Amino acid sequence: MGTAPPVTRWDTVVMGRGTYAPAIGAGIASPYDHLDQYVVSTTLEPAEHPGVSVVSEDPLGFVRRLKSRPGGDVWLCGGGSLAGVLVDEVAASSSSSTR
């Protein structure tokens, strides 16, 4: 289904609730279990989704903190609304060699 990005590049995935919803509907609690998984949502209850980390805080600040950690890149997986919030951060990342 194309859910496995190259392991050598990414170690973290960030997605919005809408992108995560098909996995929930299919009974998949951890769609990218080979990555650290974060779902940005103010409506999901973290205890009901133990396969991922639910993030209800400001996504821009959160992604900036993720990028400052050592490790692989952060993959923004789908989510037009989330991508819109992060567009400047994503553009900044594409012009540098850091996370």
Side-chain angles (χ1 to χ4, degrees), residues 8-94:
T8 57
R9 180 166 182 183
W10 294 287
D11 64 0
T12 304
V13 60
V14 176
M15 64 191 108
R17 184 201 46 77
T19 299
Y20 182 54
I24 296 169
I28 301 170
S30 181
Y32 303 101
D33 61 0
H34 60 290
L35 301 172
D36 292 336
Q37 303 169 88
Y38 298 95
V39 178
V40 177
S41 174
T42 57
T43 60
L44 293 177
E45 290 294 328
E48 295 175 11
H49 303 279
V52 299
S53 297
V54 177
V55 177
S56 61
E57 65 184 88
D58 167 50
L60 183 57
F62 177 74
V63 167
R64 285 180 176 160
R65 283 194 305 283
L66 281 178
K67 288 173 54 181
S68 71
R69 302 183 319 181
D73 287 335
V74 177
W75 176 32
L76 174 58
C77 176
S81 296
L82 181 58
V85 171
L86 298 174
V87 68
D88 290 336
E89 192 65 22
V90 172
S93 294
S94 66

